[in-house]
Amino acid sequence: MTGERRLLDDCFLHDRDRLTHAEALSILKERVTCVVGHERIALAEANGRVLAETVSAPRDVPLTDNAAVDGYAFRHADLPAGGGTLPVSTRIPAGHPATSALVSGTAARIFTGAVMPQGADSVAMQEDCRVHDLDGGRSVEIPGGLKAGANRRRAGEDIAAGAELLSPGTRLRPQDLAAIASTGAPEATVFRRPRIAIVSTGDEIRRPGETLPDGGVYDSNHFLLRALAGTAGAETTDLGVLEDRADSLADALSGAASSHDVILTTGGASRGEEDHLVETLDRLGKRHMWQLAIKPGRPMSFGQIGDCVVLGLPGNPVAAMICFLLYARPVISALGGAGFTTPRRFQVPAAFQVDRKKPDRREFYRGRLASDDRGNTVVEKFERDGSGLISGLRAADGLIEIPEVATEVARGSLVDFIPFSEFGLAPR
């Protein structure tokens, strides 16, 4: 089962050299929708998957009133306001409900999670009680001041029967799995993972382990993007490294488009004579976006071949990662049923300054959080801006976003900061 419509495939034309960041997001959001089917999987395998069906509670959780602590259950009306002593008439472990109602005027030794006996409505914590052994049995001294219903969990207190727990499109977290498990369901219906083909282009590119010729570069982008795609919930296929030849690229793209939801390329998206991606995409499919007014990442492209999305990322690692996080990740999210998601921004004082910034361009700096001399949180900018410097990505906690209208950044001014955690990436 898939979404009601596939990709919006009419041609998009614009008469400016570059699109703004907001325009690019608007185009992507408008033109992608869920394209994957459903599958039923074991709950133990569902962490990080996207829920495809509503989950409702078939019964109350908890199913019955139960004790929230180890202690003594009693009827509140049987105890004077200042406390008192009650004989202990029964013992109720968890998983072994009492077979009869609590004898009036007595208490029950009870353990956390055990079903409250009929007639009892409150529990005194064992730490607050004093137990007395008598010839005829045992009694418990219960302190005063306890309210009726103390330390008792009510049936349905967590989840009421029939309540909706989770809706389709939810990316399941450990706590969500716990909620589903608490209803007794052993499985969940989730969307299939989007299938992504990753291809690197360039005569100079070599895979680690190969001999590096003069002018050669090891293919760091493949491993970067493969890992990023995994955090986005996708399955990946490695199409290898292609030469800078239009026919090689066309064969690879047309073949991958028939069996994948997304083709992710790096390099070959600029205007150079050896950059064939845009030309090939125009010939095989349709192009909806190319050239953005952002830094880094200007040559980012988006199009489709049939119902397969084609995302052309820049060749430099920093630009490739930033474009993946900002544009490819929300596309993958939408295709996979989780909706088109964008990250939250948090305003943080800048511990740096930029004297001159080009207007009409949105810029993304690599940033890391730090504390100033007063202990306040500030954000530092990685000192070098080169888009080939992987060291900056490793040092960063997230991205500093500077809007198009800004022409400078003053030290101490509030700037938008996007933590990498917003993209599902672990902190340093």
Side-chain angles (χ1 to χ4, degrees):
M1 181 177 179
T2 62
E4 294 182 358
R5 65 180 176 93
R6 303 290 284 184
L7 303 182
L8 186 63
D9 63 358
D10 58 303
C11 287
F12 175 82
L13 298 175
H14 61 91
D15 57 5
R16 298 200 319 277
D17 285 342
R18 296 171 192 158
L19 292 168
T20 67
H21 172 68
E23 289 170 334
L25 288 177
S26 178
I27 292 169
L28 293 169
K29 184 176 182 179
E30 170 61 25
R31 289 169 181 272
V32 295
T33 188
C34 179
V35 298
V36 298
H38 302 173
E39 59 183 344
R40 189 81 175 164
I41 64 172
L43 202 59
E45 306 300 322
N47 187 45
R49 299 297 296 272
V50 178
L51 192 65
E53 292 183 353
T54 298
V55 175
S56 298
R59 59 185 65 83
D60 284 339
V61 179
L63 186 59
T64 60
D65 287 11
N66 65 86
V69 297
D70 291 344
Y72 295 86
F74 62 98
R75 187 166 71 99
H76 192 268
D78 288 343
L79 195 71
T85 300
L86 299 174
V88 178
S89 60
T90 188
R91 184 176 185 273
I92 309 174
H96 300 274
T99 57
S100 59
L102 182 68
V103 175
S104 179
T106 71
R109 177 69 165 122
I110 198 166
F111 298 87
T112 303
V115 176
M116 292 284 288
Q118 183 181 348
D121 58 14
S122 306
V123 179
M125 293 179 63
Q126 63 183 16
E127 297 94 319
D128 297 332
C129 298
R130 294 181 63 184
V131 178
H132 305 283
D133 290 319
L134 306 173
D135 290 341
R138 173 174 290 188
S139 66
V140 59
E141 185 177 337
I142 297 174
L146 287 174
K147 295 181 179 179
N151 301 312
R152 173 190 59 173
R153 299 191 189 107
R154 300 299 299 265
E157 178 180 301
D158 190 15
I159 306 168
E164 180 178 315
L165 272 70
L166 299 161
S167 57
T170 301
R171 191 172 297 278
L172 295 172
R173 306 166 298 166
Q175 54 266 51
D176 299 321
L177 301 183
I180 297 173
S182 73
T183 71
E187 297 179 323
T189 300
V190 298
F191 287 107
R192 178 180 57 77
R193 295 181 187 272
R195 295 184 294 254
I196 298 181
I198 301 177
V199 57
S200 302
T201 63
D203 292 342
E204 76 282 12
I205 303 298
R206 296 290 187 276
R207 285 289 169 83
E210 298 178 355
T211 300
L212 195 66
D214 290 342
V217 177
Y218 282 124
D219 187 9
S220 60
N221 280 353
H222 170 78
F223 300 93
L224 172 70
L225 297 175
R226 185 172 182 172
L228 289 173
T231 65
E235 295 178 350
T236 59
T237 302
D238 180 12
L239 297 188
V241 180
L242 301 183
E243 300 175 343
D244 282 323
R245 291 172 42 194
D247 57 344
S248 297
L249 186 60
D251 289 344
L253 295 187
S254 59
S258 63
S259 57
H260 292 82
D261 303 303
V262 179
I263 298 173
L264 203 58
T265 72
T266 60
S270 297
R271 300 176 185 267
E273 295 179 4
E274 298 299 320
D275 296 324
H276 302 292
L277 174 62
V278 172
E279 175 187 307
T280 302
L281 181 56
D282 287 346
R283 182 156 50 89
L284 296 178
K286 295 178 181 178
R287 172 166 49 101
H288 305 307
M289 187 176 81
W290 183 40
Q291 298 290 317
L292 306 184
I294 68 168
K295 180 184 179 181
R298 183 180 65 188
M300 166 82 189
S301 65
F302 159 59
Q304 67 188 94
I305 300 173
D307 282 322
C308 180
V309 170
V310 181
L311 295 169
L313 304 184
N316 286 318
V318 174
M321 179 169 172
I322 289 176
C323 284
F324 181 94
L325 296 178
L326 296 176
Y327 308 115
R329 185 179 173 88
V331 166
I332 294 168
S333 177
L335 295 173
F340 194 89
T341 56
T342 54
R344 293 172 296 174
R345 278 83 168 155
F346 302 91
Q347 290 203 317
V348 185
F352 63 93
Q353 66 182 47
V354 176
D355 294 328
R356 294 177 60 186
K357 174 196 161 290
K358 185 176 179 179
D360 301 322
R361 180 175 71 187
R362 188 165 302 205
E363 298 192 358
F364 295 90
Y365 308 141
R366 284 140 286 170
R368 56 191 168 201
L369 298 176
S371 296
D372 63 14
D373 54 8
R374 296 183 178 180
N376 298 316
T377 299
V378 296
V379 62
E380 299 173 340
K381 174 182 173 294
F382 189 69
E383 55 271 16
R384 293 175 291 164
D385 292 326
S387 61
L389 302 176
I390 298 175
S391 56
L393 294 175
R394 294 179 56 242
D397 295 316
L399 302 177
I400 302 166
E401 182 177 10
I402 307 301
E404 292 85 353
V405 295
T407 57
E408 63 179 7
V409 179
R411 185 180 296 272
S413 62
L414 292 177
V415 294
D416 284 339
F417 180 71
I418 310 174
F420 281 149
S421 59
E422 285 292 298
F423 305 106
L425 304 181
R428 286 186 294 123

